[in-house]
Amino acid sequence: MAEPTMMEWHWLPFQELSTVQLYAAMQLRQRVFVLEQTCVFQDADGVDLYSWHGLGYLPDGELGAYARIVPPGKAFHLPSIGRVVTAPELRGKGAGNELVQQAMAQTAKLFPGHDIKIGAQAHLQRFYGSFGFQPVGELYDEDGISHIHMIAPSSAL
């Protein structure tokens, strides 16, 4: 496995994001989800307002990874992690592992004792499974990409 990137992490509620932080997060999300994955969807879906935003900065100050933690009742009945994204140039270098570990740890801190639910792209089931997520339900289409719900029990955190 490639050496981890060791980013500097900041977890902030929406209201505490600076305009520069918000811009960098939206730019990375759009770069990957809209341009690379060619998904036309409403990325600014209103859920950001209630979420905690994880920003992983590289030593040069560039945003290398991002995820949001959504409180229970805003996307699912459980807390959830979404908009999980790393910069394309970091793939294969451990950034995704670092991001999910950070997001799970922060979710456990914010919502102790709760399981975590995600809507994962189906081809990433094995990746998320390595963190204790188990598939629940059937595959479903979201913005032209096959997804599946997965849950990590609080005991795995």
Side-chain angles (χ1 to χ4, degrees):
M1 185 168 123
E3 191 174 312
T5 54
M6 300 305 294
M7 289 178 264
E8 180 180 318
W9 290 93
H10 300 268
W11 288 94
L12 301 165
F14 182 82
Q15 295 76 8
E16 292 182 22
L17 290 171
S18 72
T19 53
V20 172
Q21 289 170 318
L22 178 60
Y23 183 84
M26 299 305 287
Q27 186 177 45
L28 179 59
R29 284 166 39 169
Q30 291 172 23
R31 177 180 173 203
V32 173
F33 300 135
V34 177
L35 298 176
E36 182 182 319
Q37 296 179 356
T38 61
C39 285
V40 178
F41 74 111
Q42 178 103 25
D43 182 37
D45 59 1
V47 177
D48 289 317
L49 300 172
Y50 307 100
S51 301
W52 283 76
H53 301 268
L55 305 150
Y57 290 97
L58 297 167
D60 66 2
E62 289 295 312
L63 184 64
Y66 168 90
R68 71 180 182 188
I69 297 170
V70 182
K74 294 299 179 186
F76 304 114
H77 71 286
L78 295 169
S80 63
I81 300 169
R83 298 294 198 267
V84 177
V85 62
T86 59
E89 56 275 12
L90 296 181
R91 294 195 190 127
K93 299 180 180 177
N97 289 325
E98 185 178 342
L99 171 58
V100 174
Q101 289 168 353
Q102 289 286 329
M104 290 179 75
Q106 185 66 24
T107 305
K109 182 178 170 184
L110 291 168
F111 305 102
H114 285 78
D115 297 346
I116 302 171
K117 187 169 184 176
I118 61 173
Q121 291 184 6
H123 74 277
L124 294 173
Q125 282 184 71
R126 182 140 114 188
F127 172 73
Y128 287 113
S130 71
F131 298 98
F133 284 94
Q134 297 296 318
V136 292
E138 300 297 319
L139 293 176
Y140 63 94
D141 180 84
E142 185 174 311
D143 305 314
I145 297 175
S146 184
H147 281 71
I148 190 158
H149 290 133
M150 300 182 81
I151 294 179
S154 60
S155 60
L157 309 176

